Each structure stands twice: as C-alpha cells, then as structure tokens.
Amino acid sequence: MVQPHALAASTATTPRRPPNLTHADIDQVVIFHIGMTITAPWRPDLWLPVFTAMPRMLAELHRNRAEHERGEAEDLGFLGAHTLLGAQGPWVVQYWRSVEQLYAYAHLTTAEHLPAWKAFNAAARKHPGAVGIWHETYVVPADGIETFYGNGANLGLARAVGSAPLSRRGRTARERLGAG
C-alpha cells in the first residue's frame, strides 16, 4: 500500500508541463527556403565553397538583427533561420519581414550574398551540374499562418518572431487560421 505522504512527495517533484504556444503577432512573413544538392561528392573543391557560404551569410544576418535591436544598424528584415540536413543536401528555412527586404539583401553589394552568388555562377559555368542550388519564396499574410508549439517546442516561426499563448488565437488549428 502506498503511504499518503509518499504520494504527495512524488507529485511535488513532477515537473509542470510547458504551455502550448503559437507564434507572436505579425502582419505577414516571408518564408525563404534555400538549399544545395551535391551531385559530384568527390569534388569538394566545387561544393565546399557553396556549403561554407551559407553559414557566413547567416552569421551576418543574425549579427545585423542583434545590432538593429540595439539601435546600431538598419534593419535588413531577417527574422531567423533553421538549417536542416537531408538526403538531398543542406537546406535552410529563413524568415523575413518582407520580400522587398529579402531582395534588397540579395543585391546588397556590401553583404556576403552577392560575392557568394557571383562565385557560384563562375564555378557553375566551368563545372556544370557539379553543385545544384535552389530556393523557394513564400509571402504569407497573417491570416494564412497557423502554428502550434506543444510541450516546450521552440523553433520555426515562434523562434524567429517570439511566441504567445495558444489560447490567444484559438484552441484548434481551424480556429487559429480564422476559419473556425
């Protein structure tokens, strides 16, 4: 038989479940997927420069975001990113405030992207098909976004823009999309 004091002690140490969350309020988000495929793995001289360019760009963007939050730099519009590794190669999901800011960064002559893009194009002309790159851009209005982060999950859009209690938007996915 379990003693009442033993039961009380075990429930007192049970950790409390983290709250279910959704992303913080935003007007829209630009979701930018970018990745590479390595079709000539035996040629690291061709794919390694592409592979190492993205971390430099992401570091620059994260640095800018921190500097902007301290009032030390203009906002480039970058909100956050996650790097994924898959069978087809590395892939980065980025979150941006606007497509205009994403495109402005892509063409900024003082930033990491433009030199990396030019270097890739030069190498691709000399060695076609050795490394593939791709991207997809989605401009999503606030009423087209539904997120759920359960039991302490902190990633994706919530990590980029912050989180809020799930109840703020609705109990179900349908309600959070405004269709419920």
Side-chain angles (χ1 to χ4, degrees), residues 11 79 84 92 97 136 150 158:
T11 57
L79 298 170
L84 310 165
V92 179
R97 256 184 247 296
E136 301 171 353

Side-chain angles (χ1 to χ4, degrees), residues 156-167:
L157 185 58
R159 181 172 260 171
V161 302
S163 60
L166 189 67
S167 59

Side-chain angles (χ1 to χ4, degrees), residues 16-123:
R16 192 176 164 161
R17 182 177 175 190
N20 292 333
L21 302 169
T22 187
H23 65 280
D25 290 335
I26 54 175
D27 293 330
Q28 72 166 17
V29 68
V30 174
I31 303 171
F32 182 65
H33 291 226
I34 185 166
M36 66 180 280
T37 56
I38 301 170
T39 53
W42 58 91
R43 295 291 311 268
D45 58 312
L46 300 177
W47 59 261
L48 196 57
V50 178
F51 183 81
T52 59
M54 185 55 68
R56 287 193 309 271
M57 287 182 252
L58 290 173
E60 174 179 67
L61 290 165
H62 282 289
R63 202 169 36 252
N64 170 265
R65 182 173 180 190
E67 290 168 355
H68 171 70
E69 288 172 356
R70 292 190 307 264
E72 300 169 357
E74 183 179 335
D75 182 16
L76 293 178
F78 174 77
L79 298 170
H82 295 284
T83 302
L84 310 165
L85 294 175
Q88 298 294 313
W91 167 359
V92 179
V93 179
Q94 297 180 9
Y95 301 93
W96 289 79
R97 256 184 247 296
S98 73
V99 74
E100 293 80 15
Q101 288 173 305
L102 169 63
Y103 293 162
Y105 173 74
H107 293 94
L108 193 61
T109 58
T110 58
E112 291 283 343
H113 177 266
L114 204 52
W117 178 243
K118 289 177 179 180
F120 168 78
N121 280 320

